[in-house]
Amino acid sequence: MVYKRLLTIQDISCVGQCSLTVALPIISACGIETSVIPSAVLSTHTAGFKGYTFTDLTEDMPKIRQHWEKEGIKFDAVYTGYLGSTKQIEYVKDIISSVKKENALTIVDPAMADNGKLYAGFDKDFVEAMKSLCKDADFILPNLTEACLLTDTPYTPEYDQEYIMKIVEKLYGLGCKNIVFTGVSYDKESTGVLVCAYGRCEYYKHSLLQVVCHGTGDIYASAFVGLLMRGKNAYDAAKIAADYTFECIKATVDDENHWYGSKFEPFLGKLIKALEE
């Protein structure tokens, strides 16, 4: 096995099973050396907790890049998650251009919106900055709301395949190379992922759990990245990541004390086994 090194850039919520506290263990479990740049440190995530601490590390990001340049540190891939400002996106673009090896992959999860709305604190300028990051990526992993924002498409929760494919064409027009379109549901009983990679689109459908669990997007994206880096093709990586995330949610929904995230750790063994199949 070729030993690869990946950099992931996103915030770290010390408690809450999201962002770097998800990405680091999942990608590492896939056998990939995982380095990090934390964009901020929070005592907990912001969904449901009150009085959390927040330390902005924006101005540390270029300092880290400068140190790595001196040390000659390079990566086989860069994966970005939640970024808190347009300034961070600009810093990330500089970091990517500086630390990527030749032919290294860039994977962007444009984590900025859901259910038809931008996350708190984001605006149109942030969307435009995210467009510029996505157009230079090898893979993007948007949900429906994010894909609509990236393509200036009116959002609707009721849609058909034609609507989705028009968005895909607009994403290609933006410059996106390969698209992993998450949470695509053509009926009320199922959901799935549409993988448009290397000139081919394939859809994987699975059962829909009628619950909302925090951090599942981070679990899915991290699993996909780890599987892709270990040599799985895009469709297989997307399928295995979807099944893995489904198991994590299913194991969590009946535990009322575990409202703050999804139990991803007990199923890491299954994810590792899937790499060998």
Side-chain angles (χ1 to χ4, degrees):
M1 183 185 85
V2 178
Y3 189 60
K4 295 181 179 180
R5 173 193 275 175
L6 173 140
L7 168 65
T8 182
I9 309 172
Q10 49 190 304
D11 68 283
I12 181 164
S13 294
C14 300
V15 170
Q17 293 176 306
C18 64
S19 58
L20 284 182
T21 54
V22 165
L24 183 56
I26 290 178
I27 300 172
S28 296
C30 290
I32 306 299
E33 179 185 347
T34 309
S35 302
V36 304
I37 293 182
S39 57
V41 178
L42 295 84
S43 55
T44 66
H45 63 63
T46 61
F49 291 105
K50 296 180 180 179
Y52 52 83
T53 67
F54 176 88
T55 303
D56 186 355
L57 299 179
T58 300
E59 297 308 323
D60 287 83
M61 296 168 73
K63 297 175 186 177
I64 293 170
R65 173 184 59 78
Q66 291 162 10
H67 180 216
W68 287 353
E69 285 178 342
K70 292 178 182 177
E71 295 293 332
I73 295 171
K74 298 286 185 178
F75 297 91
D76 298 290
V78 180
Y79 154 49
T80 68
Y82 181 93
L83 301 171
S85 66
T86 56
K87 192 171 187 179
Q88 286 192 356
I89 291 175
E90 293 305 313
Y91 282 160
V92 164
K93 290 162 68 176
D94 290 340
I95 291 166
I96 290 172
S97 65
S98 173
V99 304
K100 279 179 59 176
K101 292 181 181 178
E102 187 177 358
N103 299 320
L105 291 176
T106 301
I107 305 106
V108 173
D109 178 2
M112 60 180 175
D114 204 359
N115 298 315
K117 297 180 180 180
L118 278 168
Y119 294 151
F122 291 163
D123 56 18
K124 291 182 179 179
D125 289 340
F126 185 87
V127 174
E128 292 303 313
M130 185 58 73
K131 288 180 183 180
S132 70
L133 185 62
C134 287
K135 75 179 182 63
D136 293 328
D138 296 288
F139 284 88
I140 64 167
L141 291 84
N143 61 31
L144 176 60
T145 305
E146 291 156 353
C148 287
L149 288 165
L150 290 170
T151 59
D152 301 310
T153 301
Y155 170 85
T156 175
E158 303 291 335
Y159 53 83
D160 56 16
Q161 188 175 7
E162 181 181 2
Y163 173 83
I164 294 296
M165 293 310 300
K166 284 182 179 178
I167 293 175
V168 169
E169 289 303 316
K170 289 180 181 180
L171 288 169
Y172 280 136
L174 181 65
C176 302
K177 299 178 182 69
N178 301 292
I179 302 151
V180 181
F181 201 151
T182 63
V184 177
S185 299
Y186 295 123
D187 59 67
K188 294 182 179 180
E189 287 73 40
S190 69
T191 189
V193 55
L194 178 65
V195 182
C196 294
Y198 305 111
R200 181 180 181 182
C201 285
E202 299 176 273
Y203 180 63
Y204 177 64
K205 182 173 78 170
H206 59 84
S207 298
L208 174 64
L209 292 170
Q210 301 290 344
V211 295
V212 176
C213 286
H214 189 81
T216 53
D218 297 334
I219 291 171
Y220 178 84
S222 300
F224 173 81
V225 169
L227 292 158
L228 188 72
M229 291 299 295
R230 278 293 304 275
K232 293 293 184 182
N233 65 48
Y235 177 78
D236 287 344
K239 176 182 181 296
I240 294 167
D243 291 340
Y244 171 66
T245 306
F246 181 87
E247 289 295 324
C248 298
I249 298 171
K250 189 168 68 172
T252 308
V253 292
D254 292 329
D255 187 348
E256 63 182 18
N257 294 318
H258 203 95
W259 54 268
Y260 53 84
S262 296
K263 299 177 182 178
F264 71 91
E265 299 93 344
F267 302 99
L268 283 172
K270 287 187 177 182
L271 184 64
I272 293 168
K273 185 177 179 180
L275 282 167
E276 311 303 327
E277 296 177 350

